């Protein structure tokens, strides 16, 4: 008798039996075995896939972290680059400013050299600092001399009258030496000191014909005389500075009209005031060649009058 497989299926409606041949039973068993193997293999593959996915997820997270770190580093580099760019721009601007200042300094020094009459006299290899130091010393020296020796006008806004030299005296009607310069001016016109000094005399001078007279004593043996004044603003023994108001023009003494009589003397010898009136910083050397009666050499030994004398 051939062997058969009987399969019984039970449900709520009852039981049914199915009869399979031996071959069909083997095939069914084989199918079930393959299905079971497939189930287990699928589970194994699923587990492996999950592990791979987890590994990929970790790798993805690591890459994201590296990417974020790279972005942060790049941002840091960009910020640093921007900072360096700004610093470079500031440095370039400062350098430009320094170059402009150096150019301005050179121009200012050249202008000062020209004003002081030192063009071409300073050493060509001298730096700006050395040039500045030399010019500063020369400026201080010259300003000191310009405050010590009479220079400039003693009265403002008026023309010159009778000059220094021989003239017909308007009072005596005879030719006689005129030791100063007259400045016709309304009574009460301010009079100014032409150098620093001390008031040697201030008051009415009997017998000279100067009337109200101020005599200022200056450095290096110089004196200045201001005559025919209407009023005095200083007293004998008082110190005065260049440009200080010392009195007012008038018509006192032997005078034919209101004016200022102004004299410059050196060791009591009258000197033409015109050279001193025209003397200043812009023509500093002119006085020492125009006025020959004064031993400027001894003064030059104390205060060199030009750069070549200092070298």
């Amino acid at each position: 008798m051939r062997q058969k497989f009987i399969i019984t299926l039970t449900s709520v409606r009852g039981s049914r039996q199915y009869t399979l041949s031996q071959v069909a039973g083997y095939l069914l068993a084989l199918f079930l075995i393959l299905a079971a193997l497939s189930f287990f293999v699928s589970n194994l593959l699923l587990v492996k896939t999950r592990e791979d996915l987890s590994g990929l997820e970790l790798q993805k997270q690591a890459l994201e972290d590296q990417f974020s770190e790279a972005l942060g580093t790049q941002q840091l580099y960009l910020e640093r680059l921007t900072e360096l760019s700004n610093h470079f721009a500031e440095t370039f601007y400062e350098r430009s400013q320094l170059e402009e200042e150096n150019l301005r300094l050179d121009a200012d020094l050249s202008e000062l050299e020209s004003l002081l009459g030192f063009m071409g006299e300073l050493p060509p290899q001298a730096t700006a600092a050395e040039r500045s130091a030399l010019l500063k010393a020369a400026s201080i020296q010259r300003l000191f001399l310009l405050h010590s020796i009479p220079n400039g006008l003693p009265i403002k806004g008026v023309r010159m009258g009778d000059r220094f030299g021989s003239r017909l005296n308007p009072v005596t009607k005879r030719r006689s030496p005129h030791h100063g310069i007259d400045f016709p001016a309304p009574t009460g016109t301010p009079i100014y000191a032409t150098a620093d000094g001390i008031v040697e005399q201030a008051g009415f001078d009997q017998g000279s014909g100067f009337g109200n007279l101020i005599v200022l004593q200056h450095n290096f043996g110089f004196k200045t005389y201001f005559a025919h004044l209407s009023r005095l603003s200083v007293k004998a023994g008082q110190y005065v500075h260049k440009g200080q108001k010392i009195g007012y023009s008038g018509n006192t003494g032997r005078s034919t009209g209101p004016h200022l009589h102004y004299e410059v003397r050196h060791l009591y010898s009258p000197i033409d005031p015109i050279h001193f009136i025209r003397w200043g910083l812009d023509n500093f050397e002119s006085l020492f060649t125009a006025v020959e009666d004064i031993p400027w050499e001894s003064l030059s030994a104390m205060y060199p009058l030009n750069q070549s004398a200092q070298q």
Side-chain angles (χ1 to χ4, degrees):
M1 181 178 178
R2 300 178 63 183
Q3 294 181 354
K4 296 181 179 180
F5 290 97
I6 299 174
I7 298 175
T8 303
L9 298 176
T10 303
S11 65
V12 294
R13 295 181 180 179
S15 300
R16 290 185 181 181
Q17 293 183 344
Y18 297 92
T19 302
L20 298 175
S21 64
Q22 188 176 9
V23 176
Y26 287 146
L27 291 174
L28 180 59
L30 180 60
F31 173 76
L32 293 175
I33 292 171
L34 292 174
L37 289 173
S38 175
F39 175 75
F40 286 113
V41 170
S42 299
N43 283 339
L44 290 175
L45 292 174
L46 181 61
V47 171
K48 178 64 176 174
T49 302
R50 287 180 178 176
E51 292 178 353
D52 292 342
L53 288 175
S54 297
L56 291 173
E57 186 68 26
L58 293 175
Q59 292 181 4
K60 176 187 175 185
Q61 186 62 39
L63 289 173
E64 289 179 350
D65 294 340
Q66 293 177 3
F67 181 71
S68 299
E69 183 178 355
L71 284 179
T73 304
Q74 182 185 25
Q75 184 65 29
L76 181 63
Y77 286 158
L78 289 175
E79 292 176 357
R80 181 59 178 166
L81 182 61
T82 302
E83 181 181 351
L84 289 174
S85 177
N86 293 335
H87 181 68
F88 175 77
E90 293 176 0
T91 303
F92 182 78
Y93 175 75
E94 292 175 357
R95 177 185 174 186
S96 300
Q97 291 294 104
L98 288 174
E99 290 177 349
E100 291 179 3
E101 290 177 2
N102 285 334
L103 291 175
R104 287 198 296 269
L105 178 59
D106 288 339
D108 292 341
L109 290 176
S110 297
E111 183 178 353
L112 185 56
E113 288 173 3
S114 176
L115 178 63
L116 295 178
F118 287 167
M119 292 301 294
E121 294 190 19
L122 295 180
Q125 69 277 11
T127 65
E130 292 171 340
R131 291 168 61 197
S132 179
L134 290 172
L135 291 173
K136 179 180 179 181
S139 298
I140 293 174
Q141 168 197 299
R142 294 190 173 196
L143 288 175
F144 171 75
L145 292 177
L146 285 168
H147 276 263
S148 300
I149 300 174
N151 62 93
L153 287 167
I155 189 171
K156 299 178 180 178
V158 300
R159 61 178 179 82
M160 295 184 190
D162 289 345
R163 301 292 186 92
F164 180 89
S166 178
R167 67 158 186 174
L168 183 64
N169 190 301
V171 177
T172 63
K173 305 301 181 182
R174 298 177 180 177
R175 297 199 68 82
S176 60
H178 188 234
H179 293 156
I181 294 180
D182 290 340
F183 293 88
T187 298
T189 303
I191 306 300
Y192 303 93
T194 52
D196 299 343
I198 187 171
V199 180
E200 179 181 298
Q201 179 179 342
F204 191 85
D205 191 68
Q206 295 287 349
S208 66
F210 283 149
N212 288 327
L213 173 68
I214 293 177
V215 178
L216 300 182
Q217 187 177 113
H218 309 287
N219 287 334
F220 312 116
F222 288 96
K223 291 184 179 182
T224 49
Y225 286 60
F226 305 82
H228 307 302
L229 304 182
S230 61
R231 287 185 294 144
L232 311 181
S233 301
V234 293
K235 298 179 180 179
Q238 180 179 340
Y239 287 96
V240 296
H241 60 82
K242 177 178 172 59
Q244 179 177 336
K245 183 168 63 178
I246 57 175
Y248 299 88
S249 64
N251 193 30
T252 59
R254 290 199 299 270
S255 172
T256 58
H259 71 287
L260 168 69
H261 175 80
Y262 175 65
E263 293 185 11
V264 176
R265 299 188 182 188
H266 184 259
L267 302 179
Y268 302 102
S269 298
I271 305 173
D272 190 351
I274 193 64
H275 304 298
F276 296 86
I277 289 173
R278 294 172 178 173
W279 183 47
L281 190 61
D282 57 342
N283 62 343
F284 187 80
E285 302 292 337
S286 64
L287 183 68
F288 311 115
T289 55
V291 181
E292 300 177 352
D293 298 332
I294 297 176
W296 299 114
E297 296 79 7
S298 57
L299 179 61
S300 176
M302 296 176 57
Y303 300 95
L305 301 180
N306 52 44
Q307 185 61 26
S308 60
Q310 298 182 38
Q311 295 175 348

